[in-house]
Amino acid sequence: MRRHLRFPYREAAQEILDWLTENPFFDCAVVEAVYPKDGGYAARIRYDYSAAQADYPAVYDPASGALYVRKTARVTNGPSDEAGYWIRYEKGGYRLDARTAAIKEKKEIDGPIPFPQAIEPLIQTVCQPVFETYAPGETLLDNQGKPIPELERVYTYAQREEEAEEERLVPVTASYDEEKGLYTFHEDDDTDWTAATQPKQRTYRAVTQEKAITHEGQEMPYNQYLTEIQGAGVSAYAALPKRDAGSYIKEAVLLYPGQREASQDGGTKERPITVLQRAIKQSIKITKDISQASYDGVNTYGALHNDPATALLKLFTGGRQTQGTKLLNQFNETTPDGYMVDSTGA
């Protein structure tokens, strides 16, 4: 590129150095000629970027944040028919991707450059974004020439009633066993379980006066201290219904173990449930009621509750609740599990 400067020489040399300092992207320059102009002197300077490559017409300068694009133009009456020049795009006038750059306004020199005229004043905008070509109030068109509709967001306000259920703590009366360190309370349940198809949930909360405690020099939430350090836990079980006098029904209650125990047998290990002897050969029905929702698709039931009654009646088949019946022969003897068998072991 060429740049014109006025002389005397000392001031001209200083001007050249100052300009190159302000534009460090151009790292090479040469004074091509000194000639009189408009009652003074001017110098024609050629400057360029030495690392420019033909395969990469754009160079990003990280120091200034500017993008330089190299172009060429025809020259008339000059030493060569073509000259190269750089166009500087400031930050915001372009977009950088991984290996490409996109500019918003295309600039170049339209037509040949008369030698030795300066190049920079001839650079002009030849293409700009669509939104900048429209006059105020003019209708915008799409790529097919159709008007682009203008959308306006209109807010509609109305009054309506909404119901919200907030958590409400209701105190319950509990009894405390000092010897065992247990709180116990009873809650009546009026749910019609014969019509229920989904599990029901009721939440209880133990409220303490303390919110935090210091343990071994570290402050921790009091609920975390109770469960992790003191071993606090919870268990729940259903109350047994009253049976008529002389009923043959024998019940074994499996308590919800919660955080206290991993398995349980309802006390049948220490006190097996005995089946009363009948005078005649008669079938005996043994049932086991377990929440279907608790065991669907898992093997917990088979792992923890595969007791002799379940295996005998085939109540467990891979995670699905089933009912099984088996005709037991006349009872004569008592097994350790509490079942009566005859002399053949049946």
Side-chain angles (χ1 to χ4, degrees):
M1 297 180 67
R2 295 189 296 275
R3 186 174 183 84
H4 296 284
L5 302 173
R6 296 186 179 275
F7 278 72
Y9 294 102
R10 178 177 298 177
E11 289 79 358
Q14 186 62 46
E15 186 178 348
I16 294 174
L17 295 177
D18 291 344
W19 188 88
L20 291 175
T21 302
E22 296 173 358
N23 298 270
F25 174 76
F26 303 108
D27 56 358
C28 56
V30 62
V31 179
E32 184 180 67
V34 178
Y35 54 92
K37 182 178 180 181
D38 300 334
Y41 290 90
R44 185 164 54 249
I45 302 174
R46 295 184 180 273
Y47 57 90
D48 205 349
Y49 174 61
S50 60
Q53 301 181 26
D55 296 337
Y56 299 96
V59 178
Y60 172 70
D61 182 17
S64 61
L67 180 72
Y68 291 84
V69 179
R70 181 175 176 81
K71 292 181 175 293
T72 58
R74 293 184 297 109
V75 179
T76 59
N77 302 323
S80 63
D81 296 333
E82 189 177 72
Y85 63 95
W86 292 90
I87 300 177
R88 176 183 172 123
Y89 291 92
E90 300 294 342
K91 187 175 182 180
Y94 60 89
R95 184 184 72 253
L96 289 180
D97 294 329
R99 296 180 59 86
T100 60
I103 57 176
K104 295 182 178 180
E105 293 184 354
K106 181 181 179 181
K107 298 180 181 180
E108 63 183 11
I109 298 176
D110 187 13
I113 304 174
F115 185 84
Q117 187 174 347
I119 292 178
E120 290 183 354
L122 300 178
I123 299 175
Q124 58 184 347
T125 300
V126 296
C127 181
Q128 56 189 4
V130 175
F131 65 87
E132 295 187 6
T133 62
Y134 284 83
E138 189 174 355
T139 303
L140 299 181
L141 305 177
D142 58 17
N143 56 2
Q144 297 180 353
K146 298 180 180 180
I148 299 177
E150 296 183 4
L151 303 180
E152 180 181 1
R153 177 175 294 179
V154 179
Y155 294 92
T156 303
Y157 298 93
Q159 293 184 352
R160 64 181 183 183
E161 294 184 359
E162 292 187 359
E163 295 183 359
E165 183 178 349
E166 298 181 355
E167 184 180 54
R168 182 169 58 93
L169 299 180
V170 178
V172 295
T173 302
S175 59
Y176 180 66
D177 188 335
E178 295 185 1
E179 182 179 352
K180 297 181 179 180
L182 298 176
Y183 284 95
T184 306
F185 65 91
H186 175 76
E187 284 286 296
D188 292 328
D189 184 14
D190 55 359
T191 303
D192 182 10
W193 294 106
T194 59
T197 58
Q198 296 293 332
K200 304 295 182 180
Q201 178 176 323
R202 182 178 295 180
T203 303
Y204 295 90
R205 178 184 298 178
V207 180
T208 61
Q209 296 180 351
E210 300 84 351
K211 302 302 179 183
I213 190 174
T214 300
H215 177 68
E216 296 183 352
Q218 298 290 332
E219 185 175 359
M220 62 189 306
Y222 196 68
N223 61 339
Q224 181 181 355
Y225 168 78
L226 291 178
T227 55
E228 297 183 3
I229 306 302
Q230 295 295 329
V234 60
S235 296
Y237 61 92
L240 297 178
K242 293 183 178 181
R243 302 295 182 186
D244 296 334
S247 174
Y248 286 97
I249 297 177
K250 302 294 183 179
E251 295 167 330
V253 179
L254 300 181
L255 306 182
Y256 169 71
Q259 300 157 286
R260 301 181 63 85
E261 299 193 24
S263 62
Q264 54 189 295
D265 58 10
T268 58
K269 185 175 181 180
E270 297 179 358
R271 294 182 178 182
I273 297 178
T274 59
V275 180
L276 300 180
Q277 182 176 353
R278 310 297 178 90
I280 59 176
K281 188 174 184 180
Q282 186 178 10
S283 299
I284 295 179
K285 180 180 180 181
I286 302 176
T287 63
K288 197 171 189 177
D289 297 328
I290 296 177
S291 172
Q292 175 68 33
S294 301
Y295 299 102
D296 281 343
V298 297
N299 63 355
T300 306
Y301 179 81
L304 299 181
H305 303 285
N306 193 15
D307 55 276
T310 303
L312 180 65
L313 301 180
K314 299 180 180 180
L315 296 178
F316 174 69
T317 56
R320 297 182 179 179
Q321 188 183 42
T322 60
Q323 283 190 342
T325 58
K326 183 178 178 108
L327 183 64
L328 303 179
N329 293 326
Q330 181 67 32
F331 296 101
N332 290 324
E333 299 178 3
T334 303
T335 67
D337 291 320
Y339 300 110
M340 308 291 290
V341 299
D342 60 12
S343 58
T344 64

